[in-house]
Amino acid sequence: MTDKKVWFITGAGRGMGVDIAKAALAAGNAVVATGRNQDAVAEAVGRADDLLAVRLDVTSPSDAEAAVQAAVDRFGRIDVLVNNAANNNAGFFEELTPKQMESQLSTTLVGPMNVTRAVLPVMRRQRSGHVITISSSAGLTTGYEFGTAYAASKFGIEGWMASLRLEVAPFGIHTTIVNPGFFRTELLTPESTHFAEAAIDDYAERRAAQIDWWTAQNGRQSGDPAKLAQALVAIAGEEPPRRRFLAGADAIATAEQKVAELQADIDFNRERFVSLDV
């Protein structure tokens, strides 16, 4: 009997995806590392006998199907899927173009759906598997300005994954939502973060302050992505795996604030809420 698993990781050409791929390999697993640029993925992760670098644009269902088939052709199965690929269109909602909103949702919400839809038939046949999807503390937050697009995609992840868990559990497939706080990844670099294209005078002063703040945070985030990668390897070895993993003290603080505000709403409006029944 072996603990070796086959990992399928999206967004493994840069940032946290590289750390996850390296951690999974170091733990003795086989890894299918995917990204838009196959050569960049191979260079970033490095050489390994149990590594397969595959091109994958998560916004393309056909890419997802081809990448999954390549993984099965090489390793015969997929045990752990890590939906990690993401982008960030930051800005006030009115200043974000419809194209930017579409880019956010197609990459960060629909993208993981495309890949998971391609992987699930493999896991169903196995009657086993583990889908780990990287959400964010933005998926739990009580709201933050300048983050409408990103938060919308992550809130979507939350509802989709929570419901998917119930649908696939009878097939022996587990799901885990990961909510990282501020981790020192490449999400805030110019390659991954794009600011709103439109400019409305009423937002000008606040927009300038927000851009200055977010730009200054790049490289100063408190979270260590290598430690988070190690934590994901540990989670994948749990039996059964946990449903949610709050990563970072700031993520815990966000979750606690959300719980407190929901409880306050319930306490304040309980009588009115229950009086609405037929």
Side-chain angles (χ1 to χ4, degrees):
M1 192 72 179
T2 177
D3 292 329
K4 181 176 181 177
K5 296 179 179 179
V6 178
W7 287 54
F8 188 106
I9 303 166
T10 69
R14 55 200 300 271
M16 188 162 64
V18 177
D19 291 303
I20 297 170
K22 288 182 175 180
L25 284 167
N29 299 293
V31 170
V32 182
T34 73
R36 289 175 182 257
N37 186 322
Q38 180 178 344
D39 293 337
V41 170
E43 182 177 352
V45 179
R47 294 180 179 274
D49 291 338
D50 282 332
L51 171 68
L52 175 65
V54 180
R55 182 191 182 280
L56 170 57
D57 177 349
V58 298
T59 67
S60 167
S62 60
D63 265 21
E65 291 172 3
V68 168
Q69 187 60 56
V72 173
D73 289 345
R74 172 70 182 273
F75 296 115
R77 59 186 297 117
I78 297 173
D79 299 297
V80 182
L81 165 62
V82 182
N83 287 310
N84 166 72
N87 63 353
N88 180 25
N89 287 272
F92 295 107
F93 174 70
E94 277 193 276
E95 296 187 328
L96 289 164
T97 65
K99 184 177 180 180
Q100 285 184 297
M101 289 296 297
E102 182 181 355
S103 170
Q104 184 70 70
L105 296 174
S106 65
T107 299
T108 313
L109 175 57
V110 179
M113 292 180 176
N114 290 335
V115 178
T116 304
R117 185 179 291 110
V119 169
L120 283 178
V122 179
M123 292 184 171
R124 278 193 293 104
R125 286 195 297 270
Q126 298 167 180
R127 287 300 193 259
S128 67
H130 189 181
V131 179
I132 300 174
T133 299
I134 308 298
S135 179
S136 169
S137 57
L140 299 173
T141 182
T142 55
Y144 68 95
E145 62 178 348
F146 219 65
T148 45
Y150 188 75
S153 69
K154 294 302 186 180
F155 266 81
I157 286 288
E158 296 286 325
W160 165 58
M161 282 290 290
S163 300
L164 181 68
R165 175 181 65 82
L166 303 174
E167 295 178 358
V168 299
F171 307 117
I173 302 171
H174 300 283
T175 67
T176 300
I177 301 172
V178 180
N179 297 97
F182 242 21
F183 274 75
R184 200 166 298 180
T185 68
E186 297 185 38
L187 185 63
L188 296 183
T189 64
E191 291 80 12
S192 294
T193 290
H194 304 280
F195 294 109
E197 295 176 5
I200 298 173
D201 287 344
D202 278 347
Y203 292 106
E205 184 176 346
R206 290 159 62 201
R207 181 196 322 115
Q210 286 282 350
I211 290 175
D212 286 347
W213 189 86
W214 283 102
T215 301
Q217 298 311 301
N218 184 38
R220 296 174 56 190
Q221 303 97 317
S222 59
D224 183 342
K227 290 182 178 180
L228 178 52
Q230 293 289 344
L232 296 187
V233 171
I235 289 170
E238 294 176 341
E239 190 58 47
R242 66 191 71 193
R243 298 177 183 178
R244 181 182 299 278
F245 183 70
L246 299 174
D250 52 343
I252 293 174
T254 297
E256 289 176 335
Q257 180 184 9
K258 180 73 171 183
V259 170
E261 292 196 11
L262 283 171
Q263 189 62 56
D265 283 340
I266 291 170
D267 293 342
F268 183 71
N269 294 288
R270 183 183 297 272
E271 184 175 342
R272 182 178 301 171
F273 289 164
V274 300
S275 70
L276 300 178
D277 290 345
V278 174

